[in-house]
Amino acid sequence: MITASEVSSLAESQAHFKAVKPWWDVLMDYLLIIMIMVSFFSATLLLTMDKVVCMPKTKNPLKSTSSALDGAPVPKEIGHLTNLDIQQYTYVSAVCYHKVVPWQSKYSPYMALINTLLLLASSNFWFKYPKTSSKVEHFLSILAKCFESPWTTKALEETSDQAPPEYKPQKYSSTRSIDYSPRTPMLNETLFPSMHLPFSAILDKKEEEQAKALFEKIRHFRAQAEDSDVVYRVYVGQTVFKVLTVVIVLGYTLSLVGSFSFRHTCKPCIQNLMGYSVFTCTHNLAYILEKLLLSYILLLSLYAVLSIHALFWIYRRSLKVYSFENNSDGDGFGDIPDVKNDFAFMLHMVDCYDTLYSRRFSVFLSAMSEGRLRELALNSEWPTEKLRALVSKDSRGRFELQLSMTPAIPKAVYELTEVQVLKLELISSAKFVGAVSQLKYLSELHISHCSVKMDPDAYHFFQERLKVLHIRFTDIEELPSWMYSLKNLIELHLYGNLNCSNNKSIRLQSLRGLTGLRSLSLTSNLSHIPSAVLDVAGQLSTLSIQNGDTELSSLAHLKKMNRLLVLKVCHCKISKLPGVLPDLSSLQSIDLTSNLLQAVDELGTLQRLRNLIILRLCHNAICHLPPSLELLRNLEELSISHNKLETLPVSILNLVKLKHLDVSCNRIRFIPPEIGHLTRLEMLAITSNQISFLPHELFRCTRLKFLHAGYNKLSSLAPEVGQLPLLSSLELMGNSLTSLPKEIADCLQLKKGGLEVDEHVLENLPLELKKRYL
């Protein structure tokens, strides 16, 4: 017997899973209940009332025909009297029941009951299978908490009356990134617009903590549910099994219709016991069983239609992907990326029950909602005093504030009126409001891997006040749209992927709106100079390209930059001097560091650049310098470190205006005496060469402040070093020196920390000098 408590627990279990039961599953459950009742009633009838009644079949001994012809009266009692007693009738009925009653009359109700129980078990198999039931129960428990959470109610109340955001970012599928994961905010996670939700009532601390915990639970559950599709596969498997089972049962059940018979002729072969060989029997349940079978077939047909509909629904729709954008009712949360696998499938099932569930669930999948929740907590966790402690001074003495990995920008930031440089890094929902105008000294903004939005008042403030902007990003579509209309911006520094060769529709927008732009720095992987840069070519005075060792095909477009003063092109795999350089008549500085330059015979063509004072060719493969180098008579700085020079040509030593000469990390063996001609030289770096002595003429350069000659083969230092009164930095590490001349004391500017020599050399100095430099 099934107890009442067991029935109650079964009903509670079914009620627990009702949110993931679509309407056809609910109808099929009701049909199964009716089918169980029909089959159980039929089986009960068979157990209690199933029998046959048999009578012997003989000819009537009364010759009614002849009597009628003779005119004799017909007897009042018509029939055939037998000599059988009740036990003989019972015996004959039992024998004939097993001999002539067909099997469907005796067993079809039991088979119907077994088939119905099999369908019942298969209908709820995914609620009982361990790998699926645990996941479904976890999903439903989280769904119930989302439905009851105060955060859900308040979020939906505030967004129900709001218009959709004007800007809708391009949605990324969950397979990009990455797959979704909280590991990297910008590389594997999609960017979401920040939206200020003006909550009328702020959550108390307990409700806030509960909402945070629920966000974390959903994040972890989503990561697990999207890793597999076992729930989807089990549901599809049980649906296919039900369809096959119903087709088979209908097939053999329909063949039984019409085979039920009320009257049977029985020949039990017991004439020696009864005296009769043929009996006529009646099966008293034949009629009712046939009607019950027809009812069962009708119910089974309805069940088959619903099963086929479920199977068609499964294969017609993509149930392993769920898009909140397509399934939302304009609830204001349009920032939720598509989900997949079991998570998507269970959301589709919930939608079949009631879309209200998924709508309330979407609040906890929305980065906008989560960002707002964290923003509320952030404002209480980051008061003005705590933020003021983070304010520091940079190398230029400016007040700087750096915020990293916070959900949003705390409101207290706007009270730090002294801030001049603001740095934002990995902030998930950064948005500036009009209160930013209180930062009256703010002129420089750094944005690192975060999407920054701003309202109109904040945009107007930045348009008028912002002078320097640094942006680090992963993909070019992450660049903020407001960046292109900062009319008073002077410097723009972009760090990220600007190579749009894979997608021509995604490219850097025109910089024409930056009417005040004078300096542009691109740290990227460009194959060519973007056309957006050429839109401001006539106004730029500084252009810097750091290309990450990606080959930059051509610099011919630089010809349009006729006002360019500083050009820096590094890590671009340039193998020869760009031919466009002589046409940039205003150039004052050229930096071609870290390229593939070998021969630089074209240096003489730069003599047309009358204003050129800085030339940097470091980290290349230059073997020699041409004599035409001496034509660059206005050059004040020449850096050729980390090349393959073996000699220092005299042509360099004719650059009488030279103040800074760096030939470190080459293969130079000696310094020509003509170096004494460089009377304006202030800095000489010859570190990491093969120089064995320094010429006496070097010490005629009385303006020399920095002399770096470490890691050479010097065995002594000439006493004339005392003739350098301005020398403040002397580096001689890694040589063969044993002592220093006492005349070094005459270098009055050489003080503690300015002398770098091996320890044993320092120990040999007189005591008074040792105290001076230690």
Side-chain angles (χ1 to χ4, degrees):
M1 293 291 293
I2 300 177
T3 64
S5 61
E6 291 174 341
V7 174
S8 176
S9 64
L10 180 62
E12 290 176 359
S13 175
Q14 291 298 316
H16 176 68
F17 290 106
K18 66 179 182 179
V20 288
K21 292 178 73 69
W23 63 266
W24 53 84
D25 276 357
V26 175
L27 287 181
M28 285 193 285
D29 286 345
Y30 283 115
L31 287 175
L32 285 174
I33 293 174
I34 300 175
M35 290 162 65
I36 289 176
M37 293 173 62
V38 171
S39 57
F40 189 78
F41 177 64
S42 303
T44 303
L45 288 177
L46 287 179
L47 289 174
T48 58
M49 301 177 59
D50 190 26
K51 61 182 181 179
V52 294
V53 178
C54 300
M55 293 293 292
K57 185 177 181 180
T58 60
K59 294 182 179 180
N60 193 341
L62 297 177
K63 298 181 181 180
S64 56
T65 305
S66 59
S67 299
L69 294 175
D70 296 339
V74 178
K76 294 181 180 180
E77 295 183 3
I78 301 176
H80 176 63
L81 298 177
T82 65
N83 297 322
L84 301 178
D85 56 22
I86 187 63
Q87 288 82 4
Q88 289 175 311
Y89 281 115
T90 303
Y91 176 76
V92 172
S93 297
V95 172
C96 288
Y97 176 80
H98 292 286
K99 191 173 183 64
V100 299
V101 176
W103 69 270
Q104 59 268 24
S105 298
K106 294 183 289 185
Y107 303 116
S108 59
Y110 302 123
M111 297 187 66
L113 180 60
I114 293 172
N115 292 331
T116 305
L117 293 176
L118 183 62
L119 291 174
L120 179 63
S122 63
S123 295
N124 299 291
F125 177 73
W126 70 310
F127 295 148
K128 304 299 181 183
Y129 184 57
K131 289 186 177 181
T132 57
S133 63
S134 59
K135 192 174 290 188
V136 174
E137 287 179 359
H138 193 186
F139 173 76
L140 290 175
S141 65
I142 293 176
L143 188 66
K145 292 177 182 178
C146 292
F147 202 90
E148 299 170 357
S149 172
W151 175 261
T152 309
T153 304
K154 292 177 181 179
L156 289 176
E157 284 177 356
E158 296 299 333
T159 57
S160 59
D161 298 330
Q162 291 182 7
E166 295 180 3
Y167 172 69
K168 221 171 201 181
Q170 181 179 359
K171 288 195 68 168
Y172 300 85
S173 66
S174 59
T175 58
R176 186 185 174 181
S177 26
I178 50 359
D179 290 343
Y180 169 85
S181 172
R183 292 179 289 272
T184 52
M186 292 296 290
L187 297 180
N188 296 331
E189 195 172 326
T190 58
L191 296 176
F192 303 128
S194 175
M195 180 177 177
H196 183 69
L197 303 179
F199 278 22
S200 56
I202 304 301
L203 298 177
D204 60 34
K205 194 67 177 177
K206 182 178 179 181
E207 292 175 338
E208 189 177 289
E209 293 300 324
Q210 290 176 347
K212 285 183 182 178
L214 195 51
F215 270 110
E216 291 301 319
K217 284 183 180 179
I218 292 174
R219 177 180 287 109
H220 291 300
F221 174 75
R222 176 178 179 178
Q224 295 174 358
E226 288 191 323
D227 283 341
S228 67
D229 59 348
V230 62
V231 176
Y232 173 79
R233 288 188 285 109
V234 168
Y235 185 82
V236 172
Q238 77 174 28
T239 304
V240 172
F241 177 80
K242 287 191 295 184
V243 171
L244 294 177
T245 303
V246 169
V247 170
I248 294 173
V249 173
L250 271 179
Y252 79 77
T253 306
L254 287 172
S255 65
L256 302 179
V257 178
S259 62
F260 291 85
S261 177
F262 176 76
R263 183 174 179 177
H264 302 276
T265 299
C266 178
K267 297 179 180 181
C269 298
I270 52 176
Q271 185 176 359
N272 56 342
L273 295 177
M274 304 295 174
Y276 299 95
S277 59
V278 180
F279 291 85
T280 300
C281 304
T282 58
H283 186 210
N284 56 344
L285 291 181
Y287 179 79
I288 187 64
L289 288 179
E290 185 173 22
K291 301 306 178 187
L292 289 174
L293 180 64
L294 290 174
S295 301
Y296 183 80
I297 290 174
L298 177 61
L299 295 172
L300 195 61
S301 300
L302 294 176
Y303 190 91
V305 171
L306 293 174
S307 299
I308 294 173
H309 170 79
L311 195 62
F312 178 74
W313 178 77
I314 289 172
Y315 288 106
R316 184 190 60 175
R317 302 186 61 182
S318 179
L319 300 182
K320 295 176 72 173
V321 176
Y322 186 92
S323 174
F324 282 91
E325 183 178 5
N326 298 331
N327 294 278
S328 64
D329 296 327
D331 52 16
F333 298 107
D335 58 351
I336 309 173
D338 297 347
V339 297
K340 61 179 182 178
N341 287 338
D342 283 343
F343 195 35
F345 175 68
M346 287 185 282
L347 286 173
H348 279 293
M349 299 297 277
V350 167
D351 276 347
C352 292
Y353 180 78
D354 191 345
T355 56
L356 180 62
Y357 279 89
S358 59
R359 185 182 178 215
R360 297 179 75 88
F361 200 21
S362 67
V363 173
F364 286 88
L365 291 170
S366 167
M368 179 201 311
S369 176
E370 183 178 10
R372 178 56 182 155
L373 175 64
R374 292 186 176 181
E375 182 181 348
L376 294 176
L378 188 69
N379 291 329
S380 60
E381 293 174 3
W382 290 88
T384 306
E385 295 76 16
K386 185 176 180 179
L387 285 171
R388 196 177 298 278
L390 297 178
V391 177
S392 60
K393 285 190 176 182
D394 62 7
S395 58
R396 297 166 57 183
R398 299 175 301 174
F399 288 103
E400 174 185 293
L401 173 62
Q402 180 171 358
L403 295 176
S404 178
M405 301 183 70
T406 57
I409 301 175
K411 292 182 179 179
V413 168
Y414 305 130
E415 299 177 15
L416 306 177
T417 56
E418 72 274 16
V419 171
Q420 297 168 278
V421 180
L422 180 59
K423 295 183 178 181
L424 307 178
E425 181 178 4
L426 297 173
I427 297 180
S428 57
S429 181
K431 181 177 181 179
F432 286 108
V433 296
V436 72
S437 59
Q438 300 176 29
L439 305 178
K440 55 184 177 180
Y441 298 113
L442 182 63
S443 61
E444 184 170 331
L445 178 64
H446 294 245
I447 301 172
S448 180
H449 299 295
C450 55
S451 178
V452 177
K453 307 298 177 185
M454 55 182 64
D455 62 18
D457 292 336
Y459 169 72
H460 179 72
F461 168 80
F462 281 110
Q463 194 178 38
E464 296 294 330
R465 297 292 186 88
L466 196 62
K467 304 299 181 184
V468 181
L469 177 62
H470 294 253
I471 302 180
R472 293 185 181 272
F473 56 94
T474 302
D475 293 321
I476 192 172
E477 61 266 29
E478 297 169 9
L479 291 175
S481 57
W482 48 262
M483 177 193 79
Y484 298 100
S485 52
L486 300 175
K487 60 182 180 180
N488 290 329
L489 191 70
I490 296 176
E491 295 183 23
L492 176 62
H493 302 262
L494 301 179
Y495 311 83
N497 180 19
L498 291 172
N499 192 345
C500 56
S501 57
N502 296 330
N503 191 341
K504 299 297 184 181
S505 62
I506 300 177
R507 57 188 179 87
L508 187 66
Q509 297 181 28
S510 175
L511 303 178
R512 191 175 288 109
L514 307 179
T515 55
L517 190 65
R518 296 297 177 265
S519 177
L520 177 62
S521 175
L522 304 176
T523 302
S524 185
N525 55 346
L526 298 170
S527 58
H528 61 276
I529 297 178
S531 59
V533 176
L534 303 179
D535 292 338
V536 291
Q539 65 189 54
L540 288 180
S541 60
T542 301
L543 175 64
S544 174
I545 300 176
Q546 299 271 358
N547 216 36
D549 290 328
T550 300
E551 184 176 359
L552 191 61
S553 60
S554 174
L555 294 174
H557 295 297
L558 295 180
K559 187 179 297 186
K560 299 179 181 180
M561 301 184 182
N562 49 14
R563 296 185 181 180
L564 204 61
L565 303 178
V566 178
L567 175 63
K568 185 176 182 180
V569 183
C570 304
H571 299 279
C572 296
K573 290 189 174 182
I574 296 175
S575 57
K576 63 178 182 178
L577 287 177
V580 70
L581 293 181
D583 298 326
L584 303 177
S585 57
S586 300
L587 272 182
Q588 296 178 2
S589 174
I590 298 177
D591 189 346
L592 298 177
T593 298
S594 299
N595 283 288
L596 303 177
L597 297 175
Q598 294 182 356
V600 286
D601 297 333
E602 302 88 352
L603 280 177
T605 61
L606 301 182
Q607 65 176 319
R608 295 162 56 184
L609 306 179
R610 302 297 182 185
N611 299 320
L612 185 64
I613 58 175
I614 298 175
L615 179 60
R616 295 171 183 162
L617 303 173
C618 308
H619 293 275
N620 281 282
I622 301 173
C623 298
H624 69 279
L625 295 173
S628 58
L629 180 61
E630 65 181 8
L631 299 176
L632 308 180
R633 299 190 181 278
N634 294 322
L635 211 59
E636 296 181 4
E637 178 184 335
L638 178 61
S639 297
I640 324 177
S641 65
H642 297 84
N643 279 281
K644 299 180 181 180
L645 296 176
E646 296 185 357
T647 60
L648 192 61
V650 179
S651 56
I652 291 181
L653 308 178
N654 292 329
L655 301 174
V656 294
K657 293 185 179 181
L658 208 59
K659 296 180 180 180
H660 181 116
L661 177 59
D662 185 359
V663 291
S664 302
C665 300
N666 280 282
R667 304 170 184 174
I668 300 173
R669 296 181 180 275
F670 70 96
I671 302 295
E674 288 81 359
I675 196 168
H677 298 167
L678 304 180
T679 56
R680 299 185 184 183
L681 196 63
E682 297 179 1
M683 187 274 184
L684 175 63
I686 54 175
T687 306
S688 297
N689 281 284
Q690 302 176 23
I691 301 170
S692 56
F693 70 95
L694 296 177
H696 298 285
E697 291 80 1
L698 171 63
F699 303 106
R700 297 176 186 173
C701 304
T702 55
R703 296 186 183 182
L704 200 61
K705 298 178 181 179
F706 305 92
L707 176 57
H708 297 168
Y711 300 97
N712 280 281
K713 297 181 179 181
L714 299 177
S715 58
S716 63
L717 183 65
E720 287 82 356
V721 69
Q723 301 175 10
L724 304 177
L726 301 180
L727 188 65
S728 61
S729 177
L730 176 60
E731 192 261 309
L732 298 170
M733 293 283 292
N735 282 285
S736 303
L737 297 171
T738 57
S739 63
L740 293 176
K742 62 181 180 179
E743 288 80 3
I744 198 172
D746 296 333
C747 301
L748 300 179
Q749 298 298 324
L750 191 61
K751 299 178 181 179
K752 183 178 180 180
L755 177 62
E756 296 183 30
V757 294
D758 296 323
E759 186 175 351
H760 69 276
V761 177
L762 197 60
E763 290 293 333
N764 293 332
L765 287 175
L767 183 59
E768 61 274 10
L769 290 179
K770 190 184 298 184
K771 291 181 179 180
R772 177 177 172 182
Y773 299 128
L774 285 179

